[in-house]
Amino acid sequence: MRHVPRRIGQRLLDDGSAGLPAPAPPAPPAPPAQEGPGGWLDRVPADPGRCPAGGVDDARPRRTGAAGQHDRGPAPETAAGRLVEHPPPGGPPDAVSPAALRRLFLAAAEFIALRHTEERLGDPARRIAAVHREIADSGTYRQTTKELVFGARVAWRNANRCIGRLYWHSLRVNDRRDVTEAQGVADACADHLREATRDGRIRALITVLAPDRPGRPGPRIWNEQLIRYAGYRRPDGGVTGDPRNAGITALLRRLGWPGGPGTPFDVLPLVVQGGVARGGAVPSGGGTPRWFTLPADAVLEVPLDHPEYSWWRGLGLRWHAVPALANMCLEIGGICYPAAPFNGWYMGTEIGARNLADADRYDLLPRVAERLGLDTRTDRSLWKDRALVELNRSVLHSFDRAGVRVTDHHTESRRFLTHLGREESSGRPVGADWSWIVPPISGSATPVFHRTYETVEQHPAYVHHPEAHARARGETQADSDLV
């Protein structure tokens, strides 16, 4: 591991110990900013030792993906169907353990040194010393807006499972750390969607809301993405809509949402759990979750058609334009921002080969194959493959015709290799999970298939805590918590 000069650690740490992670060798300036896709999947496991929202003294081992394996992140932690919540940092500064404070300071020093090196800001000692004093006084510290912007961009650069990292340095960052209560979070999310959408000219954007602080948890967004479609369980055991969202749809009904029209593509409201403002009382779990309907002007959807088949529009398919991940935690320098919705734009296969085609999602391959007149009696007819290609053609054709930005898996694979080349020339290691980087269709026809990668855990990072998975499934400790 790289380290800052020993004298920095010795000068700043009260106990005289050193070993603060330090800057890498100077890197060349980043290439000119351009906009690019953020298309990447969630379910990135958290490192509980670095992020207090995951339990400051939690010593559970980290899990990482391996080539050829689909690591979906840490298993949800529940007891008898009840959510086991990892508490945010609690109590005043003097109630936070010295070990936790030390870990926070080390993470902060590592981050500050990294920024000063990459942005050529000179000796980081003065800033590190100021942060050290702030942590000693309050149990936490406030990052500057420039630090927040740098951290959010580097977290995207460090995302092992993201194929669209070429333009990480162009990520637009909205600093909304003043927002803690549920209504303000919902309003900020709607503003985020409007700014990200731009009538189809999708831009990569993150909105960072209030962080966790000692005794003052930040807000949480329960939905996996800002825009998701409802999944209504039917008496016959099936689901109308997206089965992935059946749990949070049921939770919303318990919260009082009357439901939508009952189509397969009803947009879900947001479920927001407000944080605690400075000086406020600390309710259990940070407050009762509330639901908020997204304004119509914040949600752009694309009806799906096909370049050849006139009957395709009759299938009634559509998908939303902005893939805004909502329940991941942005960890920068030991500070956790549990509500930081982030988006790039879609890679077509995310919709056509996963959301619409997976058997546990919309499962449309049999229906499409039937309309295409394919022989579904045997897999040797390759009916699934042929139906999958047509679904993906439909997505790309429809988004292009609607003027909504989307990328394809062949283009994105080439861009990812360009990203690897740029980062390697800058002396920075690039982590990647093969099983997530290789597209879910025509993998061997893309250049990313024909090489290996190493999963490298680096920080800052976007992480996913086990309780966030549980919330996205609509799991709560008890219905009494909802009133």
Side-chain angles (χ1 to χ4, degrees):
M1 177 179 285
R2 299 184 180 98
H3 296 278
V4 289
R6 187 175 180 86
R7 61 181 178 82
I8 294 179
Q10 289 173 329
R11 185 165 66 240
L12 295 180
L13 293 180
D14 293 338
D15 61 5
S17 62
L20 300 182
Q34 304 177 57
E35 289 190 328
W40 60 295
L41 298 174
D42 49 10
R43 299 186 291 277
V44 178
D47 179 349
R50 294 183 63 100
C51 193
V56 293
D57 294 312
D58 193 339
R60 290 171 294 150
R62 290 176 284 182
R63 294 178 48 167
T64 58
Q69 298 177 347
H70 288 273
D71 176 10
R72 300 302 186 185
E77 301 189 12
T78 57
R82 293 161 63 88
L83 172 62
V84 179
E85 183 81 31
H86 292 283
D94 57 4
V96 182
S97 73
L101 290 175
R102 177 173 171 77
R103 282 197 298 271
L104 173 58
F105 172 64
L106 290 174
E110 175 185 2
F111 166 68
I112 293 165
L114 175 68
R115 175 174 175 254
H116 277 243
T117 296
E118 290 200 15
E119 298 194 337
R120 302 178 183 274
L121 300 176
D123 189 348
R126 180 175 297 179
R127 174 60 178 154
I128 291 175
V131 166
H132 188 212
R133 290 191 296 270
E134 190 174 352
I135 291 172
D137 291 341
S138 67
T140 187
Y141 71 103
R142 181 176 175 84
Q143 290 158 347
T144 68
T145 297
K146 290 183 179 179
E147 287 171 343
L148 183 71
V149 170
F150 175 79
R153 289 174 175 171
V154 173
W156 182 11
R157 185 180 80 194
N158 290 339
N160 284 310
R161 295 172 176 176
C162 175
I163 194 174
R165 286 177 267 170
L166 176 60
Y167 303 114
W168 61 270
H169 46 76
S170 69
L171 175 66
R172 185 181 182 91
V173 180
N174 284 343
D175 184 353
R176 299 299 309 275
R177 287 176 289 174
D178 58 310
V179 177
T180 58
E181 54 90 22
Q183 180 67 63
V185 171
D187 292 342
C189 289
D191 290 341
H192 176 107
L193 288 172
R194 295 185 186 101
E195 183 177 351
T197 303
R198 299 191 304 168
D199 294 323
R201 296 173 292 111
I202 314 299
R203 67 156 42 118
L205 177 69
I206 185 171
T207 297
V208 184
L209 302 165
D212 282 336
R213 297 172 60 87
R216 297 196 297 276
R220 268 83 171 146
I221 302 168
W222 286 40
N223 310 60
E224 274 191 320
Q225 296 190 16
L226 294 185
I227 305 173
R228 279 297 204 193
Y229 294 119
Y232 303 104
R233 291 193 178 99
R234 302 192 302 263
D236 64 2
V239 174
T240 297
D242 192 342
R244 184 180 184 87
N245 302 320
I248 198 166
T249 301
L251 169 74
L252 277 158
R253 301 303 296 270
R254 298 201 301 275
L255 284 170
W257 181 52
T263 76
F265 299 98
D266 290 357
V267 176
L268 282 171
L270 293 179
V271 180
V272 179
Q273 190 171 11
V276 180
R278 183 180 297 275
V282 185
S284 174
T288 300
R290 299 169 57 193
W291 62 274
F292 300 87
T293 300
L294 284 168
D297 70 332
V299 180
L300 177 62
E301 296 180 282
V302 178
L304 301 188
D305 205 343
H306 194 279
E308 296 174 20
Y309 303 116
S310 59
W311 49 262
W312 195 279
R313 182 172 284 270
L315 296 175
L317 307 179
R318 64 177 183 268
W319 205 259
H320 56 89
V322 179
L325 303 174
N327 67 343
M328 297 188 76
C329 178
L330 171 61
E331 185 273 314
I332 302 174
I335 301 297
C336 290
Y337 301 94
F342 167 90
N343 74 274
W345 54 81
Y346 271 117
M347 186 164 74
T349 53
E350 295 178 79
I351 304 170
R354 300 301 310 276
N355 297 336
L356 296 178
D358 280 1
D360 60 350
R361 299 292 298 283
Y362 279 84
D363 194 22
L364 286 176
L365 294 186
R367 185 179 174 189
V368 169
E370 180 183 4
R371 293 302 304 269
L372 290 170
L374 303 178
D375 181 3
T376 61
R377 295 172 297 177
T378 172
D379 287 342
R380 294 181 69 85
S381 69
L382 300 184
W383 65 269
K384 294 178 182 178
D385 309 73
R386 295 169 67 183
L388 195 60
V389 168
E390 298 308 326
L391 261 176
N392 282 271
R393 289 184 68 200
S394 168
V395 170
L396 295 176
H397 166 76
S398 302
F399 272 63
D400 287 346
R401 192 179 66 172
V404 175
R405 182 168 290 168
V406 68
T407 188
D408 65 88
H409 50 295
H410 296 288
T411 299
E412 214 50 55
S413 295
R414 292 192 297 270
R415 287 175 175 170
F416 183 70
L417 294 187
T418 299
H419 169 69
L420 286 181
R422 288 183 180 178
E423 291 301 299
E424 289 168 357
S425 68
S426 298
R428 293 191 289 257
V430 179
D433 185 335
W434 189 97
S435 64
W436 289 75
I437 295 299
V438 174
I441 182 174
S442 305
S444 63
T446 64
V448 293
F449 178 91
H450 301 281
R451 58 172 294 165
T452 59
Y453 309 94
E454 181 181 357
T455 301
V456 180
E457 293 190 19
Q458 301 179 88
H459 294 269
Y462 296 100
V463 297
H464 220 158
H465 296 292
E467 66 272 15
H469 286 291
R471 283 193 291 263
R473 291 191 301 271
E475 296 177 11
T476 64
Q477 292 184 335
D479 277 356
S480 59
D481 294 339
L482 306 180
V483 295

